[in-house]
Amino acid sequence: MQAIILFGVLVLTYLMFVAKRMPVLIRSFRCQSFFLFLVTSIMAFDEHQLDLYIVAALLFVIKVLLIPYLLYRIMKKMRVSGDIGLFVNVQLSLLCALGLAYLAWIFSARLVAPSSQAQISILTIAFFAVLAGLFLMISRMSALAQIIGLLVMENGLFLLACAVSGGMPFFVEIAIFFDVFVSVVIMGFFVYRINKLFTHIDVNKLSNLKG
Amino acid sequence: MTKVFFIILQLILFLLAAPLLSGLISKVKNNIRMRRGQSIFQPYYNLVKLFSKEEVVSGDSSWIFKVTPFIVFSSMLTAAILIPVFIFSPMHQMGDFLSLIFIFALGRFFMALAALDTGSSFGGMGASREMFISSLVEPAFCLVVFCVFLQFGSTDIAVFSGVHPVSICSFITAIVLFMVTLAETSRIPVDNQETHLELTMVHEAMVLEYSGRSLALIEWSSYIKQMILFFLIAQIVFPVNFSGLWILWYFVWIIIIVIAVAVVEVFVAKMRLFRVADFLGFAFVLGVIAVVCAILGV
């Protein structure tokens, strides 16, 4: 069961490489977070930990409901087209994704004893999500897409923490969630300001001087 | 002797039941859209109508144009007796998964030739688009074959029926095959079967010059192709072991696939031609994941 959900996370991460428009990206981020929520709930159910239940609930409220809603609102408010500019086209992005997944696989296969196949696959997917977020941040022009890249990286780190230690300490977890939420709000505000000053959120054109 | 009987039975099943699936898909689609829609036997009526009509052949066409419907039809029938439906291995060691792909390719090759043959502009356009799509479909399809090979040690289609438990790998393979099926049977994200608008059509543009009996044969063979692909998906996701109520399981799976195709057709918009490359590229990457899963053994 957990393996199928992890596979879902993997496919959704690939889907983000294919996405060409903002709503698709937000929707796949929302689905990815939902799958993370499922993973956490299963883990909590297995280990009978109250902390993990609360973490899962927080994950659901913040990452599945609040942050996508905020991103949608920013997108609507700015009335920019949903287009996320691609530095790297879709096919090349997919190839890069395959390469990154391979790197993540090699890395996690070195890290863990080769006998635990399940452990390797969960680590691979977590690392891959981190690398995918990084790739999204450097290869998409729209500032909103870069925010999503950061969030995907955070998702990957969360998965990594789950895989390695069965969840971080409770307060750390809550602090991180709060951090992420606040950072999204702040970044949304910044994007809003950028849009107001430059009338677009294409980061590529930020170097032009505006009087 | 019983084997011959079963092969003939299988052929008759494919010939008779294939149009029904198309009718079923359009019925489900219309029900989702809250319409009444045409009867599920409409494809049969269309076939009967086309068979009773006179055929018009362009004076500039060569023998390829006349012979193509028969080649397409017979290649689809050949493909239909390769897959196990009633018995374990109908054509033992004579046909495997790879040969299925090449039999499909043979039919498509002659279709493209015939479309170019009459020299109409639509035919050439349709042929070039079809070749573009099929060149993208084939890698994904071949990865499905590799995945099956890695899992079962043989590409004989009969090998993977009845032996394996449902794994993640077979699940992913089935999804890849589903995406390939959408492209191969010219379903909506890739192509639209219903329109005759020159901007969107791929398969329809190729058969535009055909009429009467030849058109009926081509339509019929595309129904059979669709049914073959559905059966393959059902085989990969839920392997039957030819005992008990396996026919019932087949029936359930085919219905599920029909509903899935209909839902995709209703809720997904048709892509631009150059977005098809992304769609099939995604299928290819999923195929690579499936191969990796097969190697890891999950």
Side-chain angles (χ1 to χ4, degrees), chain B residues 267-285:
Chain B
F267 288 105
V268 177
K270 187 191 170 304
M271 293 172 178
R272 284 189 298 128
L273 188 64
F274 292 106
R275 285 288 281 166
V276 170
D278 301 343
F279 176 74
L280 290 169
F282 191 64
F284 177 78
V285 168

Side-chain angles (χ1 to χ4, degrees), chain A:
Chain A
M1 190 62 210
Q2 207 177 9
I4 291 176
I5 295 171
L6 279 173
F7 164 68
V9 174
L10 184 66
V11 169
L12 283 165
T13 318
Y14 273 110
L15 213 58
M16 288 178 188
F17 284 87
V18 188
K20 259 184 164 174
R21 303 187 64 76
M22 207 54 214
V24 182
L25 206 57
I26 298 176
R27 217 174 298 146
S28 40
F29 167 72
R30 173 179 270 174
C31 284
Q32 195 192 36
S33 310
F34 183 71
F35 278 112
L36 271 188
F37 159 72
L38 287 181
V39 170
T40 324
S41 333
I42 288 177
M43 204 173 268
F45 187 73
D46 282 345
E47 297 176 10
H48 300 292
Q49 278 188 343
L50 187 65
D51 297 8
L52 275 178
Y53 278 118
I54 299 174
V55 167
L58 271 177
L59 191 69
F60 188 78
V61 170
I62 292 181
K63 277 195 179 159
V64 182
L65 299 179
L66 270 178
I67 290 181
Y69 168 73
L70 266 177
L71 289 173
Y72 269 122
R73 229 189 56 170
I74 294 169
M75 205 182 69
K76 279 233 181 74
K77 225 175 174 179
M78 293 191 309
R79 289 196 198 88
V80 286
S81 66
D83 204 22
I84 56 174
L86 307 178
F87 277 123
V88 186
N89 69 5
V90 172
Q91 284 84 9
L92 211 56
S93 300
L94 269 175
L95 282 181
C96 289
L98 272 181
L100 290 179
Y102 181 64
L103 280 182
W105 185 61
I106 288 181
F107 187 55
S108 46
R110 291 254 173 100
L111 216 60
V112 190
S115 56
S116 56
Q117 207 67 257
Q119 195 75 22
I120 288 181
S121 57
I122 184 170
L123 269 181
T124 305
I125 291 171
F127 273 127
F128 175 58
V130 174
L131 292 176
L134 200 61
F135 185 82
L136 283 182
M137 280 176 77
I138 60 175
S139 71
R140 302 292 185 258
M141 288 176 215
S142 153
L144 269 176
Q146 294 179 350
I147 295 179
I148 290 203
L150 188 76
L151 291 170
V152 171
M153 268 176 88
E154 214 281 321
N155 270 356
L157 283 175
F158 179 80
L159 198 58
L160 203 63
C162 277
V164 173
S165 63
M168 285 178 270
F170 181 55
F171 282 102
V172 178
E173 206 81 82
I174 287 184
I176 287 177
F177 275 130
F178 192 66
D179 252 14
V180 168
F181 184 62
V182 170
S183 65
V184 167
V185 172
I186 292 172
M187 279 189 288
F189 181 71
F190 273 133
V191 168
Y192 189 64
R193 291 283 297 173
I194 290 173
N195 188 46
K196 214 171 168 189
L197 278 175
F198 292 84
T199 63
H200 55 73
I201 50 170
D202 190 340
V203 208
N204 207 21
K205 295 176 187 157
L206 278 192
S207 51
N208 296 348
L209 279 177
K210 277 266 168 120

Side-chain angles (χ1 to χ4, degrees), chain B residues 19-33 35-43 187 193-194 226 258 261-262 265-266:
Chain B
L20 189 66
L21 287 183
S22 269
L24 216 56
I25 290 176
S26 75
K27 189 77 186 173
V28 175
K29 263 170 73 178
N30 279 315
N31 275 342
I32 295 173
R33 288 171 175 155
R35 294 177 189 160
R36 204 161 83 242
Q38 59 199 16
S39 145
I40 58 171
F41 298 108
Q42 189 62 39
R187 288 280 164 199
Q193 282 186 331
E194 286 168 356
Q226 172 176 310
V258 162
V261 168
E265 280 224 307
V266 170

Side-chain angles (χ1 to χ4, degrees), chain B residues 33-69:
Chain B
R33 288 171 175 155
M34 307 277 190
R35 294 177 189 160
R36 204 161 83 242
Q38 59 199 16
S39 145
I40 58 171
F41 298 108
Q42 189 62 39
Y44 293 100
Y45 303 147
N46 286 349
L47 283 182
V48 169
K49 183 191 77 185
L50 284 173
F51 268 117
S52 59
K53 274 198 172 180
E54 193 188 348
E55 195 177 336
V56 182
V57 179
S58 158
D60 297 323
S61 61
S62 67
W63 57 273
I64 291 179
F65 187 78
K66 281 165 204 130
V67 100
T68 294

